[in-house]
């Protein structure tokens, strides 16, 4: 419940920031029409690396605050979708993602099957997607872009089930070995993992379901 609660708050923050900025033309022009777009795009990456490195020395409250700051930065970086796509298609894609995420996460939580082997395969696929995306940034191939989006949806769908099972097992292990506070920090990291899975699945699905009219 704590993991899902943290993730839900982060999604609300992301959505609110993205909508507020993306529906204000002056802000969109000021950010995405200048060098600031690179700061906005790279800032979340810097925060998540810092978060991973410093999580053990943070208090639970600080970890939650950093997570929500990260969510706000992500909202800023994806706010352009409200300029590129119609609001209805964004909402439809969000609810489609939410339904798929809920089903996959429920499967990961309840299944008796060990998904650790699938996790290793998905990680390799994730690396492949990152490399392909960087390559296509130079090639600008529409076919490759669609292929990356399709494979990306499948990879993050699988990661949702895998991460849910892993978070449940890890939380129980850390609570038993190191106490409740340390386990709660791992819960924040778990919420971050599920948040990123949801976000990436949403962004990849938007490539197919987003209406640009």
């Amino acid at each position: 419940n704590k993991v899902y609660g943290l993730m839900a708050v982060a999604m609300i923050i992301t959505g609110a920031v993205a909508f507020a900025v993306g529906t204000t033309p002056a802000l969109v022009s000021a950010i995405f029409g200048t060098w600031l777009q690179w700061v906005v795009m790279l800032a979340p990456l810097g925060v998540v690396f810092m978060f991973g490195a410093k999580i053990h020395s943070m208090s639970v409250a600080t970890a939650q605050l950093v997570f929500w700051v990260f969510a706000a930065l992500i909202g800023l970086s994806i706010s352009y979708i409200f300029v590129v796509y119609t609001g209805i298609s964004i909402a439809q894609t969000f609810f489609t993602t939410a339904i798929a995420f809920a089903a996959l996460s429920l499967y990961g939580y309840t299944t008796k099957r060990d998904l650790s082997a699938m996790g290793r395969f998905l990680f390799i696929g994730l690396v492949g997607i990152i490399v392909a995306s960087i390559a296509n940034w130079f090639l600008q191939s529409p076919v490759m872009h669609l292929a990356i989006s399709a494979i990306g949806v499948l990879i993050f769908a699988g990661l949702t089930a895998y991460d849910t099972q892993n978070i449940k097992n890890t939380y129980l292990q850390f609570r038993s070995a190191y106490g409740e506070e340390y386990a709660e920090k791992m819960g924040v990291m778990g919420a971050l993992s599920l948040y990123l899975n949801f976000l990436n699945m949403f962004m990849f699905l938007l490539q197919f379901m987003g209406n640009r009219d």
Side-chain angles (χ1 to χ4, degrees), residues 52 63 81 104 160 184 205:
I81 65 174
L104 291 161
T160 297
E184 286 191 20
L205 278 174

Side-chain angles (χ1 to χ4, degrees), residues 4-14 68 71:
Y4 288 129
L6 288 169
M7 177 192 163
V9 172
M11 292 303 305
I12 292 170
I13 292 172
T14 297
W68 291 331

Side-chain angles (χ1 to χ4, degrees), residues 167-185:
I167 290 164
K168 180 180 73 171
N169 295 338
T170 301
Y171 181 85
L172 294 173
Q173 292 169 4
F174 276 102
R175 186 175 65 180
S176 175
Y178 301 106
E180 186 68 27
E181 183 177 1
Y182 197 86
E184 286 191 20
K185 293 180 186 180

Side-chain angles (χ1 to χ4, degrees), residues 92-189:
Q92 290 174 337
T93 305
F94 176 83
F95 285 116
T96 300
T97 307
I99 292 169
F101 177 89
L104 291 161
S105 190
L106 180 63
Y107 170 76
Y109 189 83
T110 58
T111 185
K112 302 300 183 183
R113 178 186 173 190
D114 184 3
L115 303 179
S116 56
M118 184 177 76
R120 289 189 290 270
F121 172 79
L122 291 169
F123 179 76
I124 294 171
L126 179 60
V127 173
I129 284 290
I130 294 172
V131 172
S133 298
I134 294 172
N136 200 45
W137 191 76
F138 297 99
L139 297 175
Q140 295 295 309
S141 168
V143 175
M144 189 172 179
H145 179 73
L146 286 176
I148 291 170
S149 297
I151 296 171
V153 169
L154 296 176
I155 287 175
F156 284 103
L159 281 171
T160 297
Y162 165 77
D163 282 338
T164 300
Q165 184 182 78
N166 187 54
I167 290 164
K168 180 180 73 171
N169 295 338
T170 301
Y171 181 85
L172 294 173
Q173 292 169 4
F174 276 102
R175 186 175 65 180
S176 175
Y178 301 106
E180 186 68 27
E181 183 177 1
Y182 197 86
E184 286 191 20
K185 293 180 186 180
M186 295 301 100
V188 177
M189 289 296 291

Side-chain angles (χ1 to χ4, degrees), residues 46-64 66-67 181-182 185-186 188-189 192:
V47 171
V48 80
F49 278 127
M50 182 274 293
F51 190 46
K54 299 291 185 180
I55 182 68
H56 300 295
S57 60
M58 292 179 182
S59 66
V60 175
T62 301
Q64 291 179 2
V66 173
F67 179 31
E181 183 177 1
Y182 197 86
K185 293 180 186 180
M186 295 301 100
V188 177
M189 289 296 291
L192 174 62

